[in-house]
Amino acid sequence: MSTPSVEALNAALATVIDPELRRPITELGMLDSVEASPDGTVRVAVLLTIAGCPLRETITADATAALARVPGVTDVQVELKVMTQPQRDALKERLRGTGGQRGIPFNEPGSLTKVFAVASGKGGVGKSSVTVNLACALAAQGLRVGIVDADVHGFSVPALMGITQQPTRVDDMILPPVAFGVKVISIGMFVSGNKAVAWRGPMLHRALEQFLTDVYFGDLDALFLDLPPGTGDIAISVAQLLPNAEILVVTTPQAAAADVAERAGTIATQTGQKLAGVVENMSFLEMPDGGRMELFGSGGGKVLAERLSAAVGSDVPLLGQIPLDIRLREGGDAGRPVVLTAPETAAAQALQGIAEKLNAKPRGLAGMSLGIQPK
């Protein structure tokens, strides 16, 4: 039996994806050394970003499995080391670009990330559940997706995603936890227990700004921001920090809810943002005999879409109507989104349909530099 070649071992390690950065460890400078003995024993040293890396066992298991598949390998021994400060600096520069400068990457001229700010006029309409399920539906289609839980006072995204892991800090860079292929950041990851966050306007703005500058999301196809209800500080901060974000308004069929939600949507007329559309949640309850019970009335989403279209002077579509479903609620309580656990349900199919419409929306070239110079 011949000794496995270093080339074959490196090729195998190139398939090992860092679970937080979502890139091969060979591209991130995390491979310190790899060598093989004539008896087929392979020894590899992997550099972790920090000593307490929460996913060190995942990296060890993935590296072991990848190397074990190489012909001639009889045993794999993985040693975990920690990056030096110069190595961490090199990693940050590699991730952030030349100079490793901080900034909001989604505002850069070449960014093709679709940013959706999910808003509602009032609480209790299922805005966070809609956000989580739309993000997971897109991730399940192979897209790179992130969520910023911008509802600082009423954060709920970590629980809805089943996330208990804290973010990893690499100096001034924060690596967000990943669940179901979605990168997530929330103030709930930084507070203990169910402690309340009693912050006022400037602190809320700074927290959101830090999420957008210090958290490394990488190259995303879509970013969702779960906004607090209403048109307060966070909604204004989003308009300032992410002027290209499109507002997605969630309401229920109830006329009173649609009236309040209209205020959340018409903020676009003051901020200059676009409206992605309206989502009507809790539209009806399917009965055993095939009928529908409209517990919260009907038509609120359609009316809201019409009103917003008139207010902004362009078409604001009703993207979908999501029925009441106990499995959607159960999935939220269990931290397992219904689009993944019960995709055959009417609620999951409605959410998947909305996700497909959002994915089909062109990013557009408005406000983007094309890098063309006149001669």
Side-chain angles (χ1 to χ4, degrees):
M1 183 179 295
S2 60
T3 304
S5 67
V6 174
E7 291 77 12
L9 298 177
N10 283 328
L13 289 169
T15 66
V16 179
I17 306 299
D18 181 90
E20 293 177 307
L21 297 171
R22 312 298 284 181
R23 288 171 60 178
I25 62 173
T26 51
E27 290 184 9
L28 298 171
M30 296 176 65
L31 181 58
D32 185 55
S33 63
V34 58
E35 58 182 25
S37 301
D39 65 355
T41 299
V42 175
R43 296 176 180 84
V44 59
V46 177
L47 298 174
L48 301 178
T49 52
I50 60 172
C53 178
L55 297 174
R56 54 193 298 130
E57 294 182 1
T58 301
I59 294 174
T60 299
D62 291 350
T64 300
L67 291 170
R69 290 192 289 268
V70 177
V73 173
T74 58
D75 185 36
V76 177
Q77 299 175 8
V78 179
E79 179 185 5
L80 299 179
K81 298 181 178 181
V82 180
M83 286 184 173
T84 63
Q85 187 59 53
Q87 289 171 329
R88 279 195 293 271
D89 292 340
L91 172 64
K92 289 187 293 181
E93 183 171 347
R94 186 180 291 110
L95 295 174
R96 286 176 171 165
T98 304
Q101 297 298 314
R102 297 166 61 186
I104 300 178
F106 311 109
N107 289 338
E108 293 179 358
S111 175
L112 294 177
T113 304
K114 299 175 184 177
V115 182
F116 299 106
V118 186
S120 68
K122 57 185 291 185
V125 300
K127 170 182 52 62
S128 298
S129 294
V130 169
T131 301
V132 163
N133 278 279
L134 290 178
C136 288
L138 289 177
Q141 297 176 21
L143 274 67
R144 296 160 296 186
V145 186
I147 298 178
V148 171
D149 188 355
D151 193 349
V152 174
H153 293 141
F155 56 86
S156 60
V157 171
L160 293 171
M161 297 283 284
I163 298 174
T164 56
Q165 171 195 338
Q166 289 189 333
T168 299
R169 290 181 177 270
V170 181
D171 300 331
D172 62 348
M173 179 181 288
I174 300 173
L175 307 182
V178 180
F180 311 111
V182 179
K183 296 182 177 181
V184 182
I185 195 67
S186 170
I187 197 66
M189 299 171 181
F190 300 92
V191 299
S192 58
N194 202 27
K195 185 179 179 181
V197 179
W199 291 354
R200 301 183 71 177
M203 296 180 69
L204 297 174
H205 180 92
R206 176 61 188 133
L208 180 60
E209 185 177 30
Q210 187 171 7
F211 283 165
L212 295 172
T213 56
D214 292 356
V215 177
Y216 178 74
F217 284 102
D219 187 13
L220 297 181
D221 295 302
L223 176 69
F224 289 87
L225 290 94
D226 183 28
L227 305 187
T231 57
D233 293 310
I234 289 292
I236 297 171
S237 292
V238 169
Q240 294 174 341
L241 296 170
L242 292 168
N244 292 322
E246 297 187 45
I247 301 174
L248 183 65
V249 185
V250 180
T251 186
T252 67
Q254 189 174 0
D259 289 342
V260 178
E262 184 179 358
R263 303 169 201 160
T266 52
I267 193 174
T269 61
Q270 302 174 47
T271 62
Q273 293 170 291
K274 294 181 180 179
L275 282 163
V278 173
V279 174
E280 185 184 275
N281 195 25
M282 309 179 193
S283 296
F284 54 86
L285 177 66
E286 289 189 342
M287 305 301 290
D289 61 1
R292 294 182 175 183
M293 179 182 292
E294 297 173 333
L295 282 77
F296 298 104
S298 64
K302 182 175 183 295
V303 170
L304 176 60
E306 292 172 349
R307 290 179 182 175
L308 291 177
S309 296
V312 301
S314 60
D315 180 52
V316 178
L318 174 59
L319 296 172
Q321 297 172 292
I322 307 167
L324 286 161
D325 194 317
I326 191 172
R327 283 163 292 189
L328 194 157
R329 191 272 304 166
E330 290 174 340
D333 289 343
R336 298 187 60 81
V338 71
V339 292
L340 303 177
T341 57
E344 76 285 353
T345 61
Q349 290 177 6
L351 286 159
Q352 290 165 351
I354 297 168
E356 290 173 2
K357 292 177 181 178
L358 292 178
N359 186 31
K361 289 176 64 66
R363 169 64 173 82
L365 299 177
M368 293 179 61
S369 173
L370 299 180
I372 299 175
Q373 299 293 332
K375 290 185 178 180

